[in-house]
Amino acid sequence: MRVLLVEDAPGLGEAVREQIADDGHAVDWVQRLDHARNSVRTTPYDLILLDLMLPDGRGLDFLRQQRSAGDVTPVIILTAQDQISDRIAGLNAGADDYLVKPFDLFELSARVAAVARRYSGNPNPQIRLGDLQVDMSARTVQRAGTPVDLTAREWALFEAFLQRPSALLSKSQLEERLYAFGAEIESNTIEVYISRLRKKLGRELIETVRGMGYRLMAA
């Protein structure tokens, strides 16, 4: 996924960015709300991780503004405010989940995956595609009962297709899922990862629509 992290604490922000990147997601990290607003205006995100207390304002105000504007991007609040009233206010403002600091980074990964599944329209982490058995929560794949080892980037690309099984995804859309803003991308990167997925999961799995993009054939 393409994730926007809005967090002003350098240590926590770096730890969260590394954790989410290790999960195979592209992460753009900003430390101010004005930078967050600029980011959502120019980049389509799959998820926002939002601190509530930023140097230039309150995260809840930003969240309410986005929801009022019709933005349905899933949001997980990350905050030290742990009162029940704070959680209720966050959820009522439109947040999808609420995680209190300090939190375990692996719990954050699990919550990110759970929110992504809900928004993909399939909250069940177990998916079967032909001879493939996929566990979205464990991030594992078996082909005809044999485990298949996917790298973080390969999994992130595969996940993009699983979350939009009937969609034709362009090369640029897939690049946005894999790489943060400003990252250098080789011209044939997506083709290389598609080729690797076909070798590991079956050549018939992903269809190439010439000049347009790729589609999950097993859908």
Side-chain angles (χ1 to χ4, degrees):
M1 296 188 295
R2 186 71 176 268
V3 178
L4 175 64
L5 170 61
V6 188
E7 170 61 61
D8 67 318
L12 178 61
E14 185 63 37
V16 170
R17 179 171 64 177
E18 289 182 3
Q19 178 72 19
I20 301 303
D22 286 346
D23 289 338
H25 307 301
V27 185
D28 296 333
W29 176 24
V30 299
Q31 301 183 42
R32 297 176 55 88
L33 286 176
D34 55 352
H35 296 162
R37 293 187 181 96
N38 290 336
S39 295
V40 297
R41 278 196 292 265
T42 59
T43 305
Y45 288 100
D46 302 291
L47 176 71
I48 298 174
L49 301 176
L50 179 64
D51 187 16
L52 291 187
M53 301 302 294
L54 282 305
D56 56 339
R58 300 172 66 246
L60 276 187
D61 294 334
F62 168 79
L63 176 55
R64 292 189 181 103
Q65 291 166 1
Q66 292 303 113
R67 293 300 188 236
S68 296
D71 187 346
V72 298
T73 305
V75 173
I76 299 177
I77 289 175
L78 311 177
T79 181
Q81 299 178 4
D82 60 353
Q83 299 298 312
I84 294 298
S85 59
D86 295 322
R87 301 187 191 200
I88 292 173
L91 294 171
N92 286 342
D96 297 270
D97 203 348
Y98 195 107
L99 197 53
V100 176
K101 302 174 184 176
F103 50 79
D104 184 271
L105 291 172
F106 292 103
E107 180 181 0
L108 173 61
S109 291
R111 289 176 182 254
V112 166
V115 169
R117 290 197 303 271
R118 289 201 299 272
Y119 273 76
S120 71
N122 183 14
N124 183 359
Q126 303 292 329
I127 299 174
R128 178 169 289 280
L129 297 171
D131 64 349
L132 298 178
Q133 181 66 43
V134 184
D135 188 328
M136 298 288 286
S137 59
R139 301 165 66 86
T140 60
V141 183
Q142 292 187 12
R143 184 180 183 186
T146 301
V148 179
D149 184 27
L150 297 182
T151 67
R153 284 276 166 78
E154 290 167 355
W155 171 265
L157 189 63
F158 186 36
E159 184 182 49
F161 289 108
L162 292 173
Q163 290 177 345
R164 301 183 63 187
S166 60
L168 178 64
L169 301 180
S170 69
K171 180 178 177 179
S172 61
Q173 286 176 308
L174 295 173
E175 287 174 343
E176 287 178 351
R177 292 289 297 262
L178 295 183
Y179 294 95
F181 179 75
E184 293 187 7
I185 307 173
E186 297 290 338
S187 60
N188 67 336
T189 295
I190 296 300
E191 288 85 350
V192 169
Y193 281 117
I194 292 289
S195 176
R196 291 179 183 176
L197 284 178
R198 285 171 171 161
K199 289 179 180 178
K200 292 182 177 182
L201 304 178
R203 298 202 60 81
E204 73 287 350
L205 181 68
I206 300 172
E207 175 193 14
T208 299
V209 180
R210 190 173 298 278
M212 298 182 67
Y214 303 91
R215 180 165 45 214
L216 190 66
M217 287 293 287

